[in-house]
Amino acid sequence: MTPFMSTLSLIAPEIGLTLGALVLLVGGAVRGERAGNVITWASVGLLVAAAFWGLRSAGTAPAQAFGGALILDQLALFGKTAVLLAAALVLVIGAGFLKIEKIVKYEYAILTLLATLGMMVMVSANDLLTLYVGLELQSLALYVLAAFNRSSLRASEAGLKYFVLGALSSGILLYGISMVYGFAGTTRFEGIAQAAHLDASVGLVIGVVFVLSGLAFKISAVPFHMWTPDVYQGAPTPVTAFFASAPKFAAIILIARLLMGPFADMIGQWQQVVVALSALSMTVGYFGALMQTNIKRLMAYSSIANLGYAMIAVAAGSQRGLEAMLLYMGLYLITTLGVFACILAMRHTEGMAENLDDLSGMSKTRPGLAISLTVLLFSVAGLPPVAGFAGKLYIFLAAVEGGLLWLAIYGAVLSVIGAFYYLRIIKIMWFDEAAPAFIPSDLVLPLTAGAAAFMMLPGAIWLLPALERWTQAASASLF
Amino acid sequence: MDLAVFLSGAAFYVFASAAIAFAFMVVSARNPVRSVLFLIMTFFSAAGLFVLLGAEFLAMILIMVYVGAVAVLFLFVVMMLDVDFVELRQGFLDYLPLGGLLGFVLAVELIVLGASWRVSEKAADLRQAPMDKDQENLRAFAEVLYTDYAFFLEAAGLVLLVAMIGAIVLTNYHKKGVKRQNISAQVARKAEDGVELVDVKPGQGL
């Protein structure tokens, strides 16, 4: 094989996804709206195929493509598999919603494909340019998806808000990148690591802080979180499910790779920033959630708090920390998609049931869904014996090992406050007067929620070691 | 002192201060059309800075693309949209203290940064696409753009594709009940479809 062909074979899943998206785009343009359904299912097939195709490189040595622009290691593989499967699941659980709301359009699936492609580039970025291009590909597609329901004023507002603030954060990110490049003379991660290893000037530190601020916007870490509740509430629910899952996962992997790769020697400088972001995110995430009555806004605050926990592990800056972060985010991904499957299943005749009052007495009207949601909320709250508890425990252990004892204690105290809130929702579901029943939903929604809840239960204890083995292999690729 | 060094130094300060002054005018001008015109002047000053750096090709591209296409498009949009800019500016004074404070802090930070700016000792060796002194700009670009940087070019192309799809999805309405021109139906129409010959009897009408 020529070097070019071997480079291409390394990113075969990405190329396959790109070509597939282009073919489907032409197909959609020719066939019009009638093709919407076919294209959605073809996209799901493409995403799943790309995930399994990528898995053939499991356990192989890290390789670089395009002269070092992209790196294909176990961490990238873990990220890509998770992102691809999450995107596929979001398309599956969202199909029914789009049909009922009459916003079926073939572009929806194609934009999801292209956003996923951007996330795949993000998780295997090995160059600041790759990082930026991947991030923009992802964000631009997400801005459009947020405003996808044009007849809804809220969706348009969400799209506009997300776009304006996102453009601002991209500007901050680019400004930081230009400073790092100006100091190191290169945008390759290995080169930056060499330059930063020798000495870290003020310019480089400010550059790193700007880059971190730009990326913190993407994972909606406080104080860059203002857009999150409005966008989560305004965007169509399947799009919100997508926002809360795959992009967060890709962005936190990108942050970890950046901080533990090229900037590993500057841990003294960036650790304080990450600790501050993490502590603030947990605080605002939990206290903000206390006042919410809309379940989508609640999930926005929940994702802010969860990413705060993930950042405790990043702040530890160790292999154990990275491992704990990946495990936690893996569990977060499954839980979030499960909760959103529940939210999508809750519909009255006049529209989606988005208020917490609508949940009251759900144990009588929809017992299966209520059980799934209860287990998932237990997991989000991090209560034993559900898997979410293990995720938080690993993070606290990694933080203590990394010398961040007080941050671990703070996180543990806050999760008690959070638990109060999640338990209140469970109380509404099980002990309050029954509200009007929901109309029957697609079978796939309760099935997804049930499967996600099952994976969190101690019965599925085999899942945790399997996930742990994989996160161990993935985290080893940065150390 | 060497005259060439003095001249390039003087040119730098002229272009740099012009760029800052025009950029300030962009945000402070009352009339949006003037803002766009000042924006064009800012682009010109930045192009001058590029020339001083020895990046003539980038300078030309900046003028052709940004002044020639983007700024003119801006101008059309500003002139066609009826936006009440006086109303948009109303909150200006309310936000001035906070915005001014943030701007001041940022400016101090940037001054500290500029004063202590240092390039890594390794930077010269780490450069990815170093260029010969006597090589032309365009050739230097051409050698790497479609080879070493092919991935970035393709990925940027995909970003543009997403922008295009997005613009179409968000703006293209298919309104029901609007008559649209169907060219193939028009061309396929024959005389028999459109004209009917009727034998009208006198005094009866149709």
Side-chain angles (χ1 to χ4, degrees):
Chain A
M1 258 200 287
T2 61
F4 184 62
M5 287 310 285
S6 63
T7 276
L8 286 191
S9 81
L10 280 175
I11 58 159
E14 282 91 337
I15 295 178
L17 206 60
T18 315
L19 293 179
L22 293 178
V23 168
L24 290 179
L25 181 63
V26 173
V30 172
R31 299 277 304 160
E33 305 304 334
R34 287 161 296 168
N37 227 345
V38 180
I39 286 179
T40 306
W41 291 107
S43 306
V44 172
L46 260 177
L47 289 166
V48 174
F52 282 98
W53 199 0
L55 278 180
R56 87 214 132 94
S57 63
T60 54
Q64 296 195 343
F66 293 106
L70 290 165
I71 188 163
L72 280 302
D73 53 12
Q74 295 307 305
L75 179 63
L77 180 66
F78 182 71
K80 278 180 200 178
T81 314
V83 161
L84 283 167
L85 293 180
L89 192 59
V90 166
L91 281 183
V92 171
I93 61 176
F97 176 91
L98 295 177
K99 213 172 288 167
I100 298 174
E101 298 281 323
K102 296 195 181 62
I103 43 174
V104 177
K105 276 193 193 168
Y106 68 91
E107 288 97 338
Y108 172 75
I110 287 166
L111 286 170
T112 308
L113 282 182
L114 290 170
T116 314
L117 188 69
M119 292 172 218
M120 292 171 82
V121 173
M122 277 162 71
V123 293
S124 57
N126 192 39
D127 187 303
L128 291 174
L129 267 179
T130 318
L131 177 161
Y132 180 69
V133 171
L135 202 64
E136 281 304 292
L137 184 56
Q138 180 235 200
S139 314
L140 204 56
L142 293 186
Y143 302 147
V144 180
L145 284 178
F148 199 75
N149 186 5
R150 285 182 312 191
S151 52
S152 151
L153 203 60
R154 270 190 192 283
S156 306
E157 186 201 330
L160 191 65
K161 213 171 242 179
Y162 193 23
F163 174 67
V164 171
L165 290 176
L168 182 70
S169 84
S170 288
I172 293 174
L173 177 73
L174 267 186
Y175 194 54
I177 288 178
S178 75
M179 267 184 237
V180 173
Y181 176 48
F183 174 78
T186 177
T187 49
R188 287 272 190 281
F189 285 179
E190 294 93 353
I192 297 170
Q194 285 180 34
H197 179 66
L198 213 60
D199 64 339
S201 80
V202 181
L204 183 61
V205 176
I206 294 188
V208 173
V209 173
F210 270 96
V211 170
L212 208 49
S213 308
L215 291 176
F217 175 88
K218 305 291 173 194
I219 56 164
S220 61
V222 182
F224 305 99
H225 68 288
M226 272 79 111
W227 57 279
T228 320
D230 293 342
V231 172
Y232 275 40
Q233 189 186 5
T237 312
V239 176
T240 312
F242 193 41
F243 282 174
S245 54
K248 295 271 147 76
F249 199 87
I252 192 92
I253 286 187
L254 182 61
I255 291 178
R257 191 192 282 286
L258 200 62
L259 294 181
M260 296 176 195
F263 303 134
D265 289 319
M266 300 168 64
I267 184 164
Q269 277 94 352
W270 58 253
Q271 196 176 38
Q272 317 156 17
V273 181
V274 178
V275 166
L277 287 176
S278 158
L280 284 173
S281 300
M282 290 187 294
T283 316
V284 171
Y286 277 140
F287 284 99
L290 291 176
M291 280 159 268
Q292 302 307 321
T293 53
N294 180 292
I295 195 155
K296 277 161 85 182
R297 285 184 88 84
L298 178 73
M299 285 309 288
Y301 281 103
S302 162
S303 85
I304 293 173
N306 272 301
L307 268 294
Y309 280 99
M311 267 187 300
I312 298 183
V314 174
S318 61
Q319 188 181 342
R320 278 291 294 276
L322 183 58
E323 200 189 316
M325 188 276 274
L326 292 175
L327 187 76
Y328 186 79
M329 286 305 289
L331 294 174
Y332 165 79
L333 205 61
I334 299 172
T335 329
T336 305
L337 289 173
V339 172
F340 271 101
C342 291
I343 297 176
L344 281 165
M346 303 185 309
R347 173 181 278 283
H348 295 307
T349 36
E350 66 268 26
M352 294 301 288
E354 287 185 357
N355 286 325
L356 287 179
D357 302 339
D358 297 325
L359 289 175
S360 57
M362 205 168 95
S363 59
K364 289 170 201 103
T365 53
R366 295 288 290 273
L369 205 60
I371 292 172
S372 305
L373 192 54
T374 307
V375 172
L376 291 170
L377 288 176
F378 257 78
S379 186
V380 175
L383 296 173
V386 183
F389 173 69
K392 277 197 174 134
L393 192 65
Y394 275 39
I395 282 188
F396 295 149
L397 288 180
V400 172
E401 216 169 83
L404 298 168
L405 179 64
W406 71 266
L407 190 63
I409 293 174
Y410 187 64
V413 169
L414 275 180
S415 59
V416 174
I417 298 174
F420 157 74
Y421 192 71
Y422 293 113
L423 289 177
R424 216 194 71 180
I425 303 176
I426 294 171
K427 179 217 143 214
I428 293 177
M429 280 196 297
W430 289 88
F431 302 112
D432 281 10
E433 286 289 305
F438 304 124
I439 57 174
S441 57
D442 279 353
L443 191 60
V444 65
L445 297 173
L447 272 183
T448 309
F454 176 72
M455 283 194 231
M456 294 298 122
L457 283 175
I461 203 80
W462 49 268
L463 175 80
L464 218 51
L467 197 58
E468 216 182 315
R469 254 201 309 284
W470 204 3
T471 54
Q472 232 157 27
S475 59
S477 52
L478 285 193
F479 290 92
Chain B
M1 194 159 67
D2 195 351
L3 186 66
V5 174
F6 172 75
L7 278 183
S8 70
F12 170 78
Y13 283 108
V14 169
F15 282 126
S17 47
I20 294 173
F22 286 127
F24 182 74
M25 300 294 273
V26 173
V27 287
S28 63
R30 282 191 177 281
N31 186 334
V33 177
R34 284 193 184 178
S35 285
V36 177
L37 293 177
F38 282 122
L39 190 66
I40 292 176
M41 291 310 292
T42 316
F43 286 145
F44 266 112
S45 317
L49 290 174
F50 271 131
V51 171
L52 288 179
L53 284 172
E56 312 90 42
F57 181 65
L58 274 186
M60 295 307 135
I61 287 291
L62 188 69
I63 290 178
M64 276 198 285
V65 175
Y66 280 84
V67 176
V70 176
V72 171
L73 205 65
F74 273 0
L75 207 53
F76 280 140
V77 172
V78 166
M79 289 201 280
M80 278 201 277
L81 289 181
D82 182 26
V83 182
D84 189 353
F85 283 88
V86 179
E87 195 184 324
L88 273 182
R89 281 169 190 282
Q90 262 173 4
F92 183 73
L93 276 181
D94 299 340
Y95 293 117
L96 190 62
L98 184 65
L101 182 72
L102 287 180
F104 178 73
V105 171
L106 202 59
V108 170
E109 279 176 358
L110 288 182
I111 289 167
V112 171
L113 173 66
S116 66
W117 180 258
R118 201 155 47 77
V119 175
S120 169
E121 292 159 25
K122 283 204 169 177
D125 303 329
L126 286 171
R127 281 179 304 174
Q128 278 161 286
M131 189 179 141
D132 286 337
K133 262 262 178 280
D134 47 345
Q135 194 180 27
E136 305 111 68
N137 262 235
L138 195 53
R139 185 180 293 275
F141 265 116
E143 274 176 1
V144 293
L145 188 58
Y146 296 98
T147 54
D148 297 350
Y149 289 77
F151 167 72
F152 302 114
L153 191 77
E154 293 296 328
L158 278 178
V159 176
L160 288 180
L161 177 70
V162 170
M164 196 171 81
I165 298 174
I168 294 172
V169 170
L170 294 182
T171 55
N172 189 15
Y173 275 94
H174 281 290
K175 267 192 194 147
K176 299 235 163 59
V178 176
K179 287 195 176 170
R180 288 180 182 275
Q181 190 177 19
N182 185 345
I183 293 173
S184 58
Q186 284 179 335
V187 172
R189 194 175 149 100
K190 298 210 168 60
E192 297 91 70
D193 306 332
V195 184
E196 192 185 353
L197 286 179
V198 187
D199 194 9
V200 184
K201 295 274 183 315
Q204 289 181 349
L206 271 177

